[in-house]
Amino acid sequence: EAGVVQSPRYKIIEKKQPVAFWCNPISGHNTLYWYLQNLGQGPELLIRYENEEAVDDSQLPKDRFSAERLKGVDSTLKIQPAELGDSAVYLCASSLGLGNEQFFGPGTRLTVL
Amino acid sequence: DAKTTQPTSMDCAEGRAANLPCNHSTISGNEYVYWYRQIHSQGPQYIIHGLKNNETNEMASLIITEDRKSSTLILPHATLRDTAVYYCIVRVGDVQGAQKLVFGQGTRLTINP
């Protein structure tokens, strides 16, 4: 069974440019998460979806970050415009529900120059 | 505020048991203890979780003290592939009332040949 798929794995952009990350969760998983992980730190939740509804986006910087999960399957996380401080690993995870085991993708490593 | 306290780093010899401690002195009666690990350049991976009783699965054992204020994750026969950052997390894990995972900085475990 395929795990959580993320693309791209690596992205290098200049500041002020837009960038988007894509996530395909495990089939049948209704809950999808986007996490941000800075170097040397644990992951921090940005947003959680239950099907297509964003039920927890309290940590998402809404001035420059946006996310969508059309049709309740794949999800896209966007940053526009990117800042130097956005350099980090962006992780996607999915689970059957919030109380169930979370399965993480490999992440996208973003470098903003 | 962090709900758990873990050592920053630990070393263990290959083939020996690795015992990773975690303090969670303010744990509530309905909070579970979860362990995840993150191997370099990968997303976190679920290991085990428990409420009161000790738990064992194919990956590890979880020993929770009687007062539930601390726990130990045991990798019985550590291999080089167990080198990773190990996160101890406490949260309400019931399906209906589950809380989100909040990662700390974890313990960087190095298995030495």
Side-chain angles (χ1 to χ4, degrees):
Chain A
E1 179 182 339
V4 176
V5 179
Q6 291 188 249
S7 68
R9 288 296 313 276
Y10 304 92
K11 188 73 175 179
I12 301 174
I13 61 172
E14 293 187 345
K15 62 182 181 182
K16 300 184 182 180
Q17 294 299 307
V19 65
F21 315 122
W22 174 80
C23 173
N24 179 238
I26 292 174
S27 177
H29 281 192
N30 298 325
T31 308
L32 183 144
Y33 316 76
W34 283 103
Y35 288 85
L36 162 72
Q37 186 169 26
N38 288 305
L39 187 64
Q41 304 294 316
E44 302 171 39
L45 182 68
L46 289 173
I47 189 169
R48 173 170 65 94
Y49 282 92
E50 295 291 344
N51 298 303
E52 64 275 8
E53 182 182 0
V55 296
D56 183 357
D57 62 355
S58 57
Q59 301 303 310
L60 188 73
K62 298 180 182 65
D63 57 336
R64 297 184 299 106
F65 286 66
S66 64
E68 61 182 12
R69 190 183 184 196
L70 299 175
K71 300 182 181 179
V73 182
D74 295 0
S75 178
T76 302
L77 179 68
K78 299 178 181 178
I79 307 175
Q80 182 170 10
E83 297 179 352
L84 295 176
D86 296 330
S87 295
V89 175
Y90 292 82
L91 293 160
C92 179
S94 71
S95 67
L96 288 171
L98 179 57
N100 298 99
E101 174 186 349
Q102 292 186 26
F103 294 83
F104 286 79
T108 296
R109 181 176 296 277
L110 174 67
T111 301
V112 182
L113 303 175
Chain B
D1 291 340
K3 288 188 174 183
T4 65
T5 304
Q6 300 178 252
T8 301
S9 63
M10 294 183 61
D11 286 86
C12 180
E14 186 179 19
R16 304 298 293 270
N19 297 284
L20 291 90
C22 180
N23 287 321
H24 31 79
S25 58
T26 61
I27 192 170
S28 300
N30 61 346
E31 287 184 314
Y32 289 72
V33 179
Y34 283 77
W35 284 84
Y36 278 74
R37 74 177 182 183
Q38 188 171 22
I39 295 171
H40 183 62
S41 295
Q42 298 183 22
Q45 174 191 25
Y46 166 83
I47 301 173
I48 198 167
H49 75 282
L51 182 63
K52 297 180 181 178
N53 301 320
N54 298 335
E55 302 287 344
T56 296
N57 62 21
E58 65 278 5
M59 291 183 67
S61 294
L62 174 61
I63 308 298
I64 303 174
T65 58
E66 191 169 347
D67 64 7
R68 303 211 318 125
K69 293 185 177 181
S70 66
S71 60
T72 301
L73 179 74
I74 301 173
L75 307 178
H77 304 287
T79 70
L80 299 179
R81 290 176 295 179
D82 292 322
T83 293
V85 177
Y86 287 76
Y87 297 100
C88 172
I89 302 165
V90 296
R91 67 148 183 173
V92 176
D94 302 311
V95 173
Q96 289 188 339
Q99 297 173 332
K100 61 186 179 183
L101 290 176
V102 178
F103 291 83
Q105 292 190 311
T107 296
R108 181 172 298 278
L109 175 67
T110 302
I111 306 300
N112 301 306

